[in-house]
Amino acid sequence: DAMVIQNPRYQVTQFGKPVTLSCSQTLNHNVMYWYQQKSSQAPKLLFHYYDKDFNNEADTPDNFQSRRPNTSFCFLDIRSPGLGDAAMYLCATSRDLPQGNNEQFFGPGTRLTVL
Amino acid sequence: DQQVKQNSPSLSVQEGRISILNCDYTNSMFDYFLWYKKYPAEGPTFLISISSIKDKNEDGRFTVFLNKSAKHLSLHIVPSQPGDSAVYFCAASYTGNQFYFGTGTSLTVIP
């Protein structure tokens, strides 16, 4: 089945220790997104790629970076995780940017714990 | 600034009855609205959507209603089943822009 895969599902890191979260897709979608979701809050968009074109949300901290080496993979790098970065990180894809009938497909998420 | 709001964090409904989940938005530019369903330990999955040119879209037991003048949409589930117990997210977008999500409503369907 075509899907969005996130690894690892659970990640524990230490305060200030860099961490990388991984996302892959078999849908061949043009757009890949990274969201941060904290408890009882809405998913918050960090950035997205349209093909190789990177788009950073204005309020995404510099501590967060992303790479998309090819269509299938996208990585989220947190350079110096703080306690406030503990959250669920969701990767999503869509065929195109929002227009008409175009929904997102989500991975299962990576739960990040910062000690 | 929360542009999509779900003011009810939780909802409990008896099996077989109607579940009504509500969502309000503030941005009049939104032209596409979606509902996602999320089970624990899984990512959200797309459920149903509606374009701003419509006021109703139906898919089996799920119907979404859009009231543009009130900037309000709702998801009706009839009849509700225990397997519908999940967190439901409302989302909205406009062409070329990002998807904006609500905070979710946790639905519990009681057998």
Side-chain angles (χ1 to χ4, degrees):
Chain A
D1 282 343
M3 56 199 314
V4 181
I5 302 162
Q6 289 188 246
N7 286 305
R9 295 291 307 276
Y10 300 91
Q11 176 72 57
V12 180
T13 190
Q14 290 183 328
F15 183 93
K17 186 174 181 181
V19 66
T20 295
L21 309 182
S22 159
C23 177
S24 63
Q25 56 135 338
T26 61
L27 297 158
N28 204 33
H29 282 173
N30 290 316
V31 192
M32 294 188 78
Y33 307 81
W34 279 105
Y35 289 88
Q36 178 193 66
Q37 186 182 20
K38 297 185 177 180
S39 180
S40 301
Q41 295 184 20
K44 178 182 180 300
L45 182 65
L46 296 174
F47 22 60
H48 74 272
Y49 276 93
Y50 183 87
D51 196 11
K52 295 181 181 179
D53 186 23
F54 176 72
N55 296 272
N56 195 36
E57 292 304 301
D59 59 353
T60 298
D62 292 340
N63 197 27
F64 292 85
Q65 303 286 320
S66 184
R67 297 170 282 136
R68 188 179 185 186
N70 54 53
T71 301
S72 301
F73 284 87
C74 194
F75 299 98
L76 171 61
D77 301 307
I78 309 176
R79 294 192 296 187
S80 181
L83 298 179
D85 297 327
M88 175 70 81
Y89 289 88
L90 294 166
C91 175
T93 73
S94 61
R95 188 178 61 250
D96 208 334
L97 290 173
Q99 55 180 6
N101 186 14
N102 186 23
E103 74 266 21
Q104 291 177 307
F105 293 79
F106 283 85
T110 295
R111 170 73 64 187
L112 178 68
T113 300
V114 181
L115 301 177
Chain B
D1 181 29
Q2 192 71 21
Q3 298 190 47
V4 177
K5 298 177 184 178
Q6 293 176 258
N7 292 318
S8 298
S10 62
L11 175 68
S12 292
V13 171
Q14 287 288 130
E15 181 178 4
R17 298 288 187 101
I18 184 171
S19 295
I20 300 176
L21 295 94
N22 294 303
C23 178
D24 297 295
Y25 61 95
T26 58
N27 192 336
S28 57
M29 290 185 67
F30 288 144
D31 57 11
Y32 193 60
F33 304 88
L34 310 91
W35 284 95
Y36 287 84
K37 179 178 179 179
K38 183 183 183 305
Y39 291 119
E42 296 182 13
T45 56
F46 171 73
L47 185 60
I48 192 170
S49 63
I50 188 167
S51 164
S52 61
I53 61 173
K54 296 185 175 181
D55 54 20
K56 177 182 173 181
N57 188 27
E58 194 171 350
D59 183 3
R61 295 185 297 114
F62 302 91
T63 303
V64 56
F65 295 91
L66 175 63
N67 182 335
K68 288 189 290 294
S69 61
K71 293 192 178 70
H72 177 84
L73 67 156
S74 61
L75 174 68
H76 292 210
I77 307 173
V78 183
S80 301
Q81 300 173 354
D84 296 329
S85 296
V87 177
Y88 290 79
F89 289 96
C90 171
S93 69
Y94 57 94
T95 300
N97 204 273
Q98 62 166 292
F99 295 92
Y100 294 85
F101 286 83
T103 52
T105 297
S106 178
L107 173 66
T108 301
V109 180
I110 303 163

